[in-house]
Amino acid sequence: MESNTTAFPFFDITALDETSVDATDSSDEEPGLHIVHYFSLVVYSLAFLLGTFGNGLVIWFTVFKMKKTVNVIWFLNLAIADFVFTLFLPLSIIYLANNFNWLFGSFMCKLNSMVAFINLYASVFLLTSISIDRCASVIFPVWCQNHRTPRLALFVVMAVWLLAFILSLPYFIIRDTFEDDGFIFCYNNFELGASKDIGISRHKATVILRFVVGFIIPFTIVVTCYSVIALRIQRNHMTTSSKPFKVIIAVIITFFLCWLPYHIFSFLELHSTYRKDGYLQNEVRVGTPLTTSLAFLNSCVNPFLYVFIGRDFKNKFGKSIHSIFEKAFNEDSMHKDLKSKTKSTSESQIL
């Protein structure tokens, strides 16, 4: 059996040949890798503490303290995706701290990986839905006034979660554990009883599908939507100062900046994994934990963006947390403007 190990449970490192360094042999590990692993341990712990607290706070106020508007539904579900993901981070923290010895059984190995990718897909699909929603509000303000309802947003959210679940299911299937020299590894078993060639094909298909569906298509839609919005603003000489617009832009930019390096290293890892000459394997072993850590941080930064974007920092501490979140997601003024002003004026208020 090949050393199909991975130190970082949400990345694809798998099927490395015998030239790979065994994660359990710390004496052979490069000093730089020790530093990277300690850094990842710190980042994972930070993401867990900030993510559970921040997203938990958002969930509490949006569920119990705020009117269920379309914006609130979007951000509530983003917070839920991040909160559930950060709840599972202690498993990865213990995995790292225990020198990559998985202690939680095969089922949790599978579930841990699946939850990570549900978070990826749900987050990017929700951000895409938000972008389409904002664009539609500008292009079709009258239609949105009549049909843009929390009920419709709930249907969209349900479809997003279902699609994210379906796309993440393969990670539950291929994730596996095996024991070697007293250590239990949680890894991606792409072969899964098939030949090595089929395993390679599955690996390639997984990486490409994730990149296209989880990054390229959503990114294209988001850029298109906000390009349309910008052109409409410029053409009609509109002004925009709305809090929700700034929050959405900040969340979207942060998401893509955090996840782009992850996708890049997925392809680098794919290119190097099945080579016999060790090409790029050291770079991948160092870059993998760094880019994974960056992706994980995305799950804890959103609550801070909700609060601190577009408003003077000092003034925030003079107001209640409830008031801060309410103003961050507020869209009541949009509907008042849509009812009382002309179409062009309404468009300017939508943003």
Side-chain angles (χ1 to χ4, degrees):
M1 181 177 183
E2 294 173 324
S3 179
N4 298 337
T5 65
T6 173
F8 297 87
F10 305 138
F11 221 78
D12 287 335
I13 293 183
T14 182
L16 298 182
D17 62 25
E18 56 275 6
T19 63
S20 301
V21 177
D22 193 334
T24 67
D25 190 355
S26 59
S27 63
D28 293 336
E29 194 172 28
E30 299 174 11
L33 287 179
H34 283 298
I35 297 174
V36 170
H37 293 163
Y38 293 143
F39 172 80
S40 299
L41 192 60
V42 171
V43 172
Y44 286 20
S45 301
L46 184 65
F48 168 70
L49 294 174
L50 296 180
T52 51
F53 174 76
N55 289 295
L57 202 59
V58 172
I59 293 171
W60 170 262
F61 279 107
T62 52
V63 169
F64 297 106
K65 302 293 184 179
M66 298 181 66
K67 180 182 177 182
K68 298 305 180 288
T69 64
V70 173
N71 278 349
V72 167
I73 290 173
W74 295 140
F75 289 108
L76 168 61
N77 281 271
L78 275 174
I80 291 173
D82 290 335
F83 182 75
V84 173
F85 168 70
T86 54
L87 281 181
F88 277 76
L89 276 180
L91 301 182
S92 302
I93 293 170
I94 295 173
Y95 189 41
L96 282 172
N98 202 37
N99 199 21
F100 315 119
N101 184 24
W102 185 259
L103 304 176
F104 308 103
S106 178
F107 177 80
M108 290 305 298
C109 170
K110 292 173 176 290
L111 184 62
N112 196 30
S113 181
M114 183 179 180
V115 167
F117 289 105
I118 288 178
N119 168 261
L120 164 62
Y121 284 118
S123 296
V124 73
F125 293 158
L126 284 168
L127 293 175
T128 305
S129 300
I130 292 171
S131 301
I132 295 173
D133 173 51
R134 309 308 292 180
C135 187
S137 296
V138 171
I139 303 301
F140 309 108
V142 176
W143 184 91
C144 287
Q145 175 60 30
N146 296 324
H147 301 282
R148 183 180 178 268
T149 63
R151 180 182 177 85
L152 178 60
L154 283 174
F155 282 119
V156 174
V157 163
M158 290 171 61
V160 163
W161 282 108
L162 178 60
L163 183 58
F165 176 83
I166 293 173
L167 290 171
S168 303
L169 191 58
Y171 296 96
F172 184 88
I173 297 172
I174 65 174
R175 205 70 179 179
D176 202 358
T177 58
F178 82 94
E179 185 173 355
D180 181 31
D181 195 24
F183 280 75
I184 300 175
F185 295 96
C186 178
Y187 75 113
N188 286 330
N189 184 7
F190 287 104
E191 294 182 14
L192 203 64
S195 66
K196 182 175 181 179
D197 289 338
I198 292 177
I200 294 174
S201 298
R202 288 173 178 171
H203 189 177
K204 290 179 179 178
T206 300
V207 172
I208 293 172
L209 177 66
R210 185 173 62 218
F211 180 64
V212 172
V213 178
F215 193 86
I216 289 295
I217 293 177
F219 183 74
T220 302
I221 294 174
V222 167
V223 170
T224 300
C225 287
Y226 283 100
S227 296
V228 171
I229 292 173
L231 289 173
R232 180 60 64 92
I233 292 173
Q234 184 179 32
R235 188 180 68 182
N236 294 333
H237 304 288
M238 300 177 186
T239 59
T240 118
S241 59
S242 176
K243 177 83 167 182
F245 182 78
K246 294 179 181 180
V247 172
I248 292 166
I249 290 293
V251 170
I252 288 172
I253 291 176
T254 302
F255 179 89
F256 285 110
L257 288 179
C258 286
W259 281 99
L260 178 58
Y262 170 87
H263 289 288
I264 291 174
F265 267 83
S266 291
F267 280 99
L268 291 177
E269 184 269 330
L270 179 64
H271 183 62
S272 68
T273 292
Y274 303 103
R275 294 175 62 115
K276 297 295 185 182
D277 57 3
Y279 179 71
L280 288 179
Q281 285 186 6
N282 287 333
E283 289 81 357
V284 168
R285 287 167 58 220
V286 173
T288 292
L290 295 178
T291 55
T292 305
S293 299
L294 180 61
F296 285 7
L297 279 177
N298 180 250
S299 295
C300 69
V301 298
N302 285 344
F304 300 94
L305 294 178
Y306 301 155
V307 174
F308 295 114
I309 290 296
R311 195 174 296 272
D312 182 71
F313 181 82
K314 294 180 181 179
N315 291 339
K316 293 186 182 302
F317 292 96
K319 301 177 181 179
S320 68
I321 297 176
H322 179 201
S323 176
I324 291 173
F325 281 118
E326 193 168 40
K327 291 185 178 181
F329 305 145
N330 180 52
E331 61 184 49
D332 289 342
S333 60
M334 300 180 193
H335 299 297
K336 293 178 182 178
D337 291 331
L338 283 170
K339 291 179 180 178
S340 61
K341 298 185 179 181
T342 63
K343 178 178 178 180
S344 61
T345 303
S346 299
E347 293 168 352
S348 68
Q349 296 299 320
I350 285 292
L351 298 178

